[in-house]
């Protein structure tokens, strides 16, 4: 499990520490904190508890005694933590009048508007949602700290458990849902009253409208006009169908005319050839005038007889050419007559086509007139009902809006009612949630006791079956703490704290891999001490924890992963890791 573990601590003017810095191995294990005090024969007063208090103060800013070193003006604690991927650096500074907290997350300083925002940010990073009190009840045990789950009464235990479950969020959600529910019910009642009033007003307006329409004869004229319009529209459709057919005929006739005009082209070409020949022969005739003895073509000498003969030949050719030309002219004239007839037919059909168009236009004009007349008649009715219709439309819109609001309200009311009932202090859901959590912790405590402390196997940890969450007989209430020896008390406390830690880590994802025990072995025999250390070593590896343990007596240091040595010389404490 990836958890934040401490990798460096620096204490400056903190209680007996003047300026001491130590690197902590950033991996799971048990760290026994031993002390050397040169001013006394024992390790008391070396600064072991001050060292663990510095860690707690650095993380949460809470201390139970003066922490500023005598003769100085401010104390500082620097902590560096890492989970293998992310790093957190915390610098907390305490003066006589104020306290400051600086946080660097992944090498970037964080800016905060308020001091409490910085602490909340740090809590979320390392504990997701926890606070100082929860840390003391789930991750710390010392006789001098005024928080003890086992010795606390039922109400205090409920408070601690609900903080673990973050049930204040449930209380806040309950009040929000209750207030919303009451608010929506009030709005719903107002909307229902308004809806009833609008429905009555709508009925009155509808009666007025119905009365005005029934008493008017204008509607009959409108109906007559509409019948005429429909008949005209039917005639217009018929004209359109005729135009379609006529248009096809016009296109066919136009094509025939073009074809006929095309058929003249060969004849016109022949006429042009004949005309050229006639012009050539006529030119020759002019050249053969009297007295000219040479041929205009070859230049040979000509006699009058030859000249006369040539002239006769030319005249014969011209006559023949003119006959051919006249014949072709007749053919072309005949074609032109046919084209003229076709054009006349085309014009007649076009006149018919346009007459249809004129008829359609007249019918359309008549329909427009009738339509305008209908609008005038409708306006006459609308003028009578205009005010009522506007009022009716206005009230209908209001009615629709109210119905939509009521539909949404009903859904919201149902949702908030269910949420309110579920989140109620006396709801079965809250009871089951708390009971389930307590059962998990009780099972964990029993498993720890039976596995590591065989002498305590006669302990019974039960929960009452009452249906009220407030009356639950909380964990270990049925085991009188006053009937246990001091060693048994500590055994139960350790098992309980480790059970809290296990449940808190597994179910709620705490990210701070840190446990602190101050003087837990003072009343243990050697067997319980070894069992406890084995249990702590097992937990440290299983959950990825750094477990700091302060110890005063003699114990085998090889049982622990590391030894943190706090030394005091001339009233100045220092710390190192062995």
């Amino acid at each position: 499990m990836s958890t934040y573990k401490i990798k460096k601590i620096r204490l400056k003017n903190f209680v007996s520490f003047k300026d001491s810095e130590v690197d902590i191995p950033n991996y799971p294990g048990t760290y026994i904190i031993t002390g050397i005090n040169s001013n006394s024969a024992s390790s008391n007063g070396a600064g072991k508890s001050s060292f663990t208090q510095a860690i707690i103060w650095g993380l949460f800013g809470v201390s139970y005694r003066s922490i500023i070193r005598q003769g100085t003006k401010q104390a500082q604690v620097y902590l560096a933590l890492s989970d293998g991927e992310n790093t957190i650096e915390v610098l907390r500074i305490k003066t006589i009048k104020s306290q400051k907290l600086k946080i660097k997350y992944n090498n970037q300083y964080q800016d905060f508007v308020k001091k409490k925002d910085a602490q909340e940010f740090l809590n979320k990073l390392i504990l997701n949602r926890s606070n100082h009190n929860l840390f003391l009840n789930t991750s710390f045990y010392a006789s001098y700290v005024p928080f003890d789950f086992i010795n606390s009464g039922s109400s205090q235990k409920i408070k601690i458990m609900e903080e673990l479950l973050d049930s204040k969020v449930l209380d806040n959600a309950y009040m929000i849902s209750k207030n919303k529910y009451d608010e929506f019910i009030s709005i719903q009642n107002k909307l229902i009253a308004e809806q009833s009033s609008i429905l009555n007003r709508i009925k009155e307006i509808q009666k007025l409208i119905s009365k005005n329409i029934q008493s008017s004869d204008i509607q009959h004229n409108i109906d007559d006009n509409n019948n005429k319009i429909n008949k005209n529209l039917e005639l217009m459709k018929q004209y359109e169908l005729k135009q379609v057919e006529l248009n096809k005929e016009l296109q066919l006739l136009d094509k025939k005319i073009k074809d006929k005009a095309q058929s003249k082209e060969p004849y016109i070409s022949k006429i042009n050839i004949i005309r050229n020949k006639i012009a050539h022969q006529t030119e020759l005739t002019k050249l053969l005038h009297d007295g000219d003895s040479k041929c205009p073509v070859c230049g040979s000498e000509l006699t009058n007889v030859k000249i006369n003969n040539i002239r006769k030949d030319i005249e014969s050719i011209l006559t023949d050419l003119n006959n051919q030309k006249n014949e072709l002219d007749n053919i072309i004239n005949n074609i032109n007559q046919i084209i003229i007839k076709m054009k006349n037919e085309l014009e007649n059909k076009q006149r018919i086509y346009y007459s249809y168009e004129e008829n359609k236009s007249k019918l359309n004009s008549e329909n427009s007139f009738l339509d305008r007349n209908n609008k005038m008649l409708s306006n006459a009715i609308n003028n009578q009902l205009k005010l009522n219709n506007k009022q009716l439309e206005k009230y209908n819109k209001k009615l629709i809006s109210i119905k939509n609001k009521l539909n949404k309200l009903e859904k919201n009311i149902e949702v908030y009612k269910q949420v309110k009932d579920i989140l109620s202090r006396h709801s079965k859901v809250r009871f089951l949630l708390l009971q389930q959590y307590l059962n998990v912790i009780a099972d964990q405590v029993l498993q720890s006791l039976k596995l590591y402390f065989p002498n305590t196997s006669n302990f019974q940890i039960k929960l009452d079956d009452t249906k009220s969450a407030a009356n639950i007989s909380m964990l270990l209430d049925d085991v009188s703490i006053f009937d246990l020896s001091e060693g048994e008390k500590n055994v139960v406390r350790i098992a309980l704290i480790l059970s809290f830690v296990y449940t808190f880590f597994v179910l709620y994802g705490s990210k701070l891999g840190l446990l602190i025990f101050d003087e837990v072995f003072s009343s243990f025999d050697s067997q319980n001490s070894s069992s406890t250390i084995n249990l702590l070593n097992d937990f440290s590896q299983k959950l990825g924890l750094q477990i700091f343990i302060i110890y005063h007596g003699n114990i085998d240091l090889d049982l622990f992963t590391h030894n943190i040595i706090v030394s005091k010389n001339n009233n100045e404490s220092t710390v190192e890791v062995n």
Side-chain angles (χ1 to χ4, degrees):
M1 181 179 293
S2 178
T3 58
Y4 281 106
K5 289 171 280 295
I6 298 172
K7 64 178 185 177
K8 178 176 283 191
I9 303 173
R10 183 181 181 185
L11 311 179
K12 191 173 182 180
N13 295 327
F14 187 90
V15 191
S16 59
F17 291 90
K18 184 178 181 180
D19 191 355
S20 184
E21 180 178 319
V22 63
D23 291 324
I24 307 293
N26 186 234
Y27 50 79
T30 53
Y31 296 72
I32 185 168
I33 303 174
T34 58
I36 301 173
N37 189 350
S38 61
N39 299 327
S40 67
S42 68
S43 64
N44 290 331
K48 301 186 298 298
S49 295
S50 296
F51 177 74
T52 57
Q53 286 179 44
I55 295 173
I56 297 172
W57 182 76
L59 291 173
F60 300 105
V62 178
S63 63
Y64 300 100
R65 63 175 179 175
S66 176
I67 62 173
I68 301 176
R69 179 178 167 82
Q70 189 174 1
T72 63
K73 295 183 179 180
Q74 68 174 27
Q76 292 185 15
V77 170
Y78 168 83
L79 299 173
L81 303 95
S82 174
D83 66 353
E85 294 182 3
N86 304 296
T87 58
I88 303 172
E89 295 176 68
V90 178
L91 176 62
R92 199 179 291 272
I93 303 170
K94 170 72 174 176
T95 64
I96 296 175
K97 294 183 179 181
S98 65
Q99 180 173 291
K100 295 180 181 179
L101 173 60
K102 296 181 180 180
I103 300 173
K104 186 187 287 187
Y105 180 58
N106 288 336
N107 298 319
Q108 289 187 349
Y109 280 107
Q110 306 298 308
D111 295 324
F112 304 98
V113 177
K114 298 179 181 178
K115 183 168 63 177
K116 69 174 185 178
D117 294 339
Q119 187 61 55
E120 289 179 359
F121 176 78
L122 181 58
N123 287 349
K124 288 181 181 179
L125 282 179
I126 61 175
L127 297 176
N128 275 352
R129 57 177 171 75
S130 188
N131 55 36
H132 174 250
N133 291 348
L134 291 184
F135 175 79
L136 294 181
N137 278 285
T138 59
S139 304
F140 183 81
Y141 171 64
S143 58
Y144 55 83
V145 177
F147 293 94
D148 190 345
F149 185 86
I150 295 178
N151 292 330
S152 63
S154 180
S155 60
Q156 178 64 19
K157 287 178 181 175
I158 288 177
K159 183 179 179 181
I160 293 170
M161 293 302 299
E162 288 192 335
E163 282 189 15
L164 280 172
L165 292 170
D166 207 9
S167 63
K168 287 183 179 179
V169 174
L170 299 179
D171 291 336
N172 293 336
Y174 169 76
M175 290 307 301
I176 291 172
S177 60
K178 182 180 181 302
N179 292 337
K180 280 291 184 182
Y181 175 80
D182 294 341
E183 177 187 345
F184 287 150
I185 288 293
S186 175
I187 295 172
Q188 185 186 46
N189 292 334
K190 291 179 182 178
L191 289 174
I192 289 173
E194 186 179 357
Q195 183 186 43
S196 177
S197 174
I198 289 174
L199 284 171
N200 291 332
R201 183 58 182 151
I202 287 174
K203 288 179 181 178
E204 293 176 1
I205 295 173
Q206 287 174 336
K207 287 180 181 179
L208 288 173
I209 292 174
S210 177
K211 182 179 179 181
N212 289 333
I213 291 176
Q214 290 175 0
S215 63
S216 176
D217 60 351
I218 298 176
Q219 187 63 40
H220 298 296
N221 292 331
I222 293 174
D223 293 339
D224 290 341
N225 289 340
N226 284 333
N227 290 333
K228 291 179 182 179
I229 288 172
N230 291 332
K231 288 180 180 179
N232 289 342
L233 289 173
E234 186 62 32
L235 284 173
M236 290 168 68
K237 286 182 181 178
Q238 293 177 9
Y239 285 137
E240 285 176 357
L241 291 174
K242 289 180 180 180
Q243 281 183 312
V244 170
E245 293 297 326
L246 194 58
N247 191 48
K248 291 179 181 179
E249 294 178 8
L250 287 171
Q251 289 177 356
L252 182 62
L253 191 57
D254 184 65
K255 186 177 182 305
K256 288 181 178 180
I257 291 171
K258 289 178 180 178
D259 291 343
K260 280 295 180 183
Q262 190 69 27
S263 67
K264 293 192 301 181
E265 295 300 323
Y267 299 110
I268 293 172
S269 297
K270 289 181 180 181
I271 288 175
N272 289 333
I273 292 171
I274 291 171
R275 283 176 178 169
N276 290 334
K277 289 180 178 180
I278 291 172
H280 178 68
Q281 294 299 328
T282 303
E283 185 65 28
L284 289 176
T285 303
K286 289 180 180 179
L287 293 174
L288 293 173
H289 53 79
D290 293 335
D292 191 351
S293 61
K294 290 184 178 180
C295 177
V297 178
C298 60
S300 60
E301 292 292 331
L302 297 174
T303 62
N304 289 333
V305 174
K306 286 182 178 182
I307 290 172
N308 289 332
N309 290 334
I310 289 170
R311 283 178 178 172
K312 287 179 181 179
D313 290 339
I314 290 171
E315 288 175 0
S316 175
I317 291 169
L318 286 172
T319 300
D320 185 53
L321 288 172
N322 283 323
N323 290 334
Q324 290 179 23
K325 176 179 172 297
N326 291 334
E327 185 179 349
L328 291 172
D329 284 337
N330 290 332
I331 292 171
I332 289 172
N333 288 334
N334 290 334
I335 291 172
N336 286 336
Q337 290 298 321
I338 293 171
I339 289 173
I340 290 169
K341 288 180 180 179
M342 287 181 177
K343 285 184 177 181
N344 290 336
E345 184 181 357
L346 180 67
E347 289 175 358
N348 290 332
K349 289 186 177 183
Q350 285 176 337
R351 279 194 292 273
I352 295 171
Y353 182 89
Y354 293 132
S355 69
Y356 290 157
E357 195 67 33
E358 289 176 3
N359 290 337
K360 282 167 58 180
S361 179
K362 289 178 181 178
L363 292 172
N364 193 47
S365 297
E366 185 179 355
N367 280 358
S368 297
F369 171 77
L370 293 172
D371 188 58
R372 287 195 300 273
N373 193 23
N374 278 352
K375 287 180 180 178
M376 291 175 61
L377 295 172
S378 296
N379 288 335
I381 296 176
N382 291 335
N383 288 336
Q384 298 174 13
L385 306 175
K386 188 175 182 179
L387 179 61
N388 290 337
N389 282 331
K390 283 186 176 180
Q391 290 177 338
L392 186 62
E393 183 181 0
K394 173 185 173 182
Y395 286 123
N396 278 327
K397 286 181 178 179
K398 281 188 176 181
L399 188 61
I400 292 171
S401 175
I402 289 173
K403 285 180 179 179
N404 291 335
K405 289 178 181 178
L406 284 172
N407 288 335
K408 291 179 180 179
L409 272 176
E410 287 174 1
K411 294 178 182 178
N412 288 333
I413 287 171
E414 182 62 26
V415 169
Y416 280 106
K417 183 179 182 302
Q418 292 177 4
V419 172
K420 177 176 69 71
D421 293 342
I422 288 172
L423 297 176
S424 169
R425 274 278 178 180
H426 302 288
S427 74
K428 188 175 181 181
V429 172
R430 282 179 71 126
F431 167 74
L432 292 176
L433 184 64
L434 189 58
Q435 189 179 50
Q436 181 185 19
Y437 193 88
L438 289 173
N439 285 334
V440 172
I441 294 176
D443 289 341
Q444 286 297 318
V445 173
L446 283 175
Q447 288 178 24
S448 298
L449 290 174
K450 290 178 181 179
L451 181 61
Y452 294 99
F453 308 102
N455 294 334
T456 61
S457 61
N458 59 332
F459 286 177
Q460 296 297 319
I461 300 171
K462 298 179 180 178
L463 295 174
D464 194 358
D465 291 332
T466 177
K467 293 182 179 179
S468 172
N471 294 326
I472 289 179
S473 178
M474 300 300 287
L475 192 61
L476 297 178
D477 268 1
D478 55 335
V479 176
S480 174
I481 198 69
F482 301 105
D483 294 336
L484 301 177
S485 67
E486 195 62 34
E488 287 176 327
K489 288 179 185 179
N490 287 331
V491 166
V492 173
R493 287 187 176 107
I494 291 172
L496 179 59
I497 286 176
L498 294 182
S499 300
F500 271 148
V501 170
Y502 179 80
T503 308
F504 199 45
F505 267 76
V506 173
L507 297 184
Y508 297 98
S510 177
K511 295 182 180 179
L512 181 61
L514 176 64
L515 287 181
I516 298 175
F517 293 96
D518 192 344
E519 293 298 334
V520 294
F521 301 128
S522 59
S523 57
F524 279 27
D525 56 29
S526 60
Q527 182 180 355
N528 278 339
S529 294
S530 297
S531 297
T532 303
I533 294 169
N534 289 333
L535 172 61
L536 297 179
N537 278 320
D538 184 28
F539 254 70
S540 69
Q541 299 302 320
K542 187 175 183 179
L543 297 182
L545 305 177
Q546 286 177 321
I547 303 178
F548 292 167
I549 304 166
I550 294 177
Y551 191 71
H552 286 281
N554 295 320
I555 196 169
D556 184 4
L557 298 181
D558 291 336
L559 293 172
F560 301 90
T561 310
H562 301 281
N563 181 15
I564 298 176
I565 303 170
V566 179
S567 303
K568 190 173 186 180
N569 189 16
N570 295 326
N571 294 322
E572 180 180 336
S573 296
T574 58
V575 61
E576 61 179 327
V577 176
N578 187 5

